[in-house]
Amino acid sequence: MKNVALIGGIIGLIFSIIAQLFAVIDDSYTFGNIWFFGVFSGIIAIVCSFYVNKKPLLAGWLLILTTATGVYALAGLYLIPGTMTLLAGIHTLSKRNENGAS
């Protein structure tokens, strides 16, 4: 799941930057000024992908949080990376619970 979270974070970062550069979300009143949440979510997902094995509880919850902030920032444009990071976060939390308190 480390690779899924890493790829989801990279795609989320790229989608956020491309959406702003091509003004896909620039003219909208609801999404125009918060595109940086998508960039922030992508960066945090990339960082969390390195902590999946070291600190699974923190990484799992942060991956779920990055999904929520990314979807809030970009709505439908964050569907693919959001799904990837959400699945990685849920899997990380469930793996942690199976192995006991790590």
Side-chain angles (χ1 to χ4, degrees):
M1 281 295 134
K2 177 181 177 178
N3 293 335
V4 173
L6 181 65
I7 293 169
I10 292 170
I11 292 173
L13 182 67
I14 291 170
F15 281 9
S16 301
I17 292 171
I18 288 174
Q20 182 63 26
L21 290 177
F22 289 117
V24 173
I25 56 173
D26 191 39
D27 294 334
S28 174
Y29 291 110
T30 57
F31 301 127
N33 295 325
I34 58 172
W35 67 275
F36 61 90
F37 277 140
V39 172
F40 182 69
S41 297
I43 292 170
I44 296 296
I46 292 169
V47 171
C48 285
S49 70
F50 296 114
Y51 286 106
V52 166
N53 295 328
K54 296 176 187 173
K55 297 181 180 181
L57 182 66
L58 177 67
W61 283 113
L62 281 177
L63 285 169
I64 293 171
L65 182 68
T66 59
T67 301
T69 57
V71 168
Y72 177 70
L74 297 176
L77 296 174
Y78 207 81
L79 185 63
I80 294 170
T83 304
M84 293 176 78
T85 56
L86 182 65
L87 290 175
I90 291 172
H91 184 268
T92 301
L93 287 177
S94 67
K95 183 176 73 170
R96 180 200 173 270
N97 290 335
E98 289 174 4
N99 293 335
S102 298

